Amino acid sequence: MARLQAEEETQKAFGWAAIDSSGILSPFHFTRRVNGDNDITIKILFCGICHSDLHIARNDFGISTYPAVPGHEIVGVVTQVGKEVDKFKVGDRAGVGCLIGSCGKCENCQDDMESYCSKPKYTNTIFDDGGARTYGGYSDIYVVNEHFAIRIPDNLSLDGGAPLLCAGITVFSPMKYFGLDRAGMHVGVVGLGGLGHLAVKFAKAFGMKVTVISTSPSKQSEATQQLGADSFIFSHDSKQMETAVGTMNGIIDTVSAVHPLKPLLDLLKTKGKLIMVGAQSLEKPLEVPAMPLLGRKLVSGSMAGGIKETQEMIDFAAKHSIAADVEVIPMDYVNKAMDRLAEGDVRYRFVIDIANTLLT
């Protein structure tokens, strides 16, 4: 009887999962909960590949449980709504980012900062309080409480919009919070990858002067000609770095590898802000020199924003024609894409065409 009841409370789903720390993904049948009163069910059309998907699949953080279905940049169409849902109707475009639940009671949740809740529920591969595994978006459907779903405007492309739900909000949120969104200000962007290229796009939409700072001189034309950055600094060129000392109001640092911070702090004006958004290894902590900070300079960090701010970001992106530059791939290319991602061989985000290539 208990087994029959459990089956009635679930629905069949299909996706691709890693079954061990090799990270190799393969077809996987599983179940999701049935659509509840406050839930919507989304038929997934596209799902972006975030670098953290690679870490989860290969257990780089040491917290993965298997089988693991990655994916938290989910966009699609609503196919079912619960009787208490008023935010969506069947046929609406909807998305799901990193977060699918929080306590709803703490100060952070009350301030619309659910991503900073001490009891978050993530979109993929983490156990929630009830012991139910949350499988991610490399799959055909997703069931989520309507509060944690994002409305996707009709004029925003679904493939280019998917990465905004993680990479986009990860750079948009600190730019808004730390006041790095004002026309005429000068912001630096360290790293020109999935996060960095979107930081450039948002900063230009804010009316800011943008300088890309990179260890790869080959990215100069991409930064200035394709993305519209005002200038480019090859960070290993001491003369270029010296020329820019004391010129920036803020820097968004998207690099996850350990790297020296003093050269970046030197680029800041008095009261300038260096904001870290790249997740770095706990085994090799960054060294922050005290002397540059005495110029009232700030080093801080930021995660993705809450649901309200994510909706604001999506609406802003649609209004200003901002979307990620993506390479759309079929589902069966995902393992090759993961290998390429590990080598940095993508401009700038892989997005899986779930609707047309996820075959049972």
Side-chain angles (χ1 to χ4, degrees):
M1 180 67 70
R3 180 178 178 181
L4 180 61
Q5 182 179 1
E7 290 177 352
E8 291 176 347
E9 294 174 351
T10 61
Q11 57 181 313
K12 294 180 180 180
F14 176 71
W16 279 48
I19 60 172
D20 55 41
S21 60
S22 70
I24 297 174
L25 288 96
S26 58
F28 175 59
H29 292 271
F30 61 102
T31 59
R32 296 200 186 277
R33 71 174 186 267
V34 295
N35 200 91
D37 290 347
N38 298 106
D39 292 336
I40 64 170
T41 297
I42 300 172
K43 177 184 178 182
I44 300 174
L45 301 182
F46 294 96
C47 186
I49 299 180
C50 174
H51 210 283
S52 64
D53 292 347
L54 177 66
H55 294 318
I56 290 295
R58 299 181 180 181
N59 199 25
D60 293 335
F61 296 143
I63 61 172
S64 299
T65 54
Y66 298 98
V69 179
H72 55 259
E73 298 178 343
I74 300 166
V75 293
V77 176
V78 176
T79 58
Q80 188 175 356
V81 298
K83 64 181 181 181
E84 300 296 329
V85 170
D86 56 17
K87 185 176 171 182
F88 294 93
K89 63 181 185 301
V90 171
D92 284 351
R93 291 151 49 108
V96 178
C98 310
L99 201 64
I100 58 165
S102 66
C103 78
K105 301 176 182 178
C106 69
E107 183 177 353
N108 287 327
C109 287
Q110 294 300 309
D111 288 341
D112 297 314
M113 297 184 358
E114 298 94 339
S115 52
Y116 295 92
C117 176
S118 62
K119 297 180 180 180
K121 296 181 181 180
Y122 295 110
T123 307
N124 58 294
T125 71
I126 306 295
F127 288 93
D128 68 21
D129 292 341
R133 184 188 298 267
T134 57
Y135 294 113
Y138 295 9
S139 56
D140 55 354
I141 61 170
Y142 204 91
V143 182
V144 63
N145 183 291
E146 66 163 335
H147 175 76
F148 292 91
I150 305 300
R151 295 183 299 272
I152 306 297
D154 290 339
N155 65 326
L156 182 64
S157 68
L158 288 177
D159 53 354
L164 297 178
L165 294 167
C166 176
I169 188 58
T170 298
V171 296
F172 181 90
S173 183
M175 295 175 80
K176 296 289 288 186
Y177 179 79
F178 290 101
L180 300 177
D181 60 346
R182 301 169 190 167
M185 296 181 78
H186 184 188
V187 67
V189 176
V190 182
L192 196 63
L195 274 67
H197 91 288
L198 287 171
V200 173
K201 291 188 177 190
F202 279 117
K204 292 305 296 181
F206 289 140
M208 304 175 75
K209 177 182 178 181
V210 182
T211 296
V212 171
I213 305 160
S214 175
T215 59
S216 303
S218 61
K219 290 187 176 181
Q220 181 170 357
S221 62
E222 298 174 29
T224 56
Q225 296 178 26
Q226 296 179 29
L227 297 174
D230 299 280
S231 57
F232 179 93
I233 295 175
F234 173 42
S235 59
H236 291 171
D237 187 321
S238 58
K239 290 184 178 179
Q240 290 186 33
M241 293 291 284
E242 289 173 6
T243 300
V245 166
T247 63
M248 300 180 189
N249 300 100
I251 296 174
I252 301 294
D253 189 338
T254 71
V255 175
S256 58
V258 175
H259 55 286
L261 296 188
K262 183 181 183 301
L264 300 177
L265 289 169
D266 289 342
L267 301 182
L268 294 173
K269 295 180 177 181
T270 301
K271 299 186 288 185
K273 302 164 186 176
L274 172 59
I275 312 302
M276 316 295 295
V277 297
Q280 297 167 355
S281 171
L282 296 176
E283 298 177 359
K284 298 179 181 179
L286 288 168
E287 296 183 2
V288 181
M291 191 62 70
L293 300 181
L294 300 184
R296 290 194 171 178
K297 298 178 182 180
L298 170 71
V299 179
S300 188
S302 180
M303 296 194 299
I307 301 304
K308 180 179 178 180
E309 189 173 46
T310 301
Q311 188 66 64
E312 176 189 347
M313 177 274 304
I314 285 289
D315 293 341
F316 181 91
K319 180 178 179 180
H320 294 272
S321 301
I322 296 173
D325 291 358
V326 301
E327 180 178 338
V328 178
I329 63 168
M331 187 72 248
D332 61 8
Y333 188 79
V334 66
N335 289 307
K336 177 63 176 178
M338 289 289 195
D339 289 338
R340 286 179 54 190
L341 179 61
E343 298 298 323
D345 179 23
V346 57
R347 295 293 185 274
Y348 290 93
R349 206 70 153 185
F350 288 117
V351 172
I352 306 169
D353 182 355
I354 298 290
N356 294 311
T357 67
L358 178 63
L359 305 176
T360 58

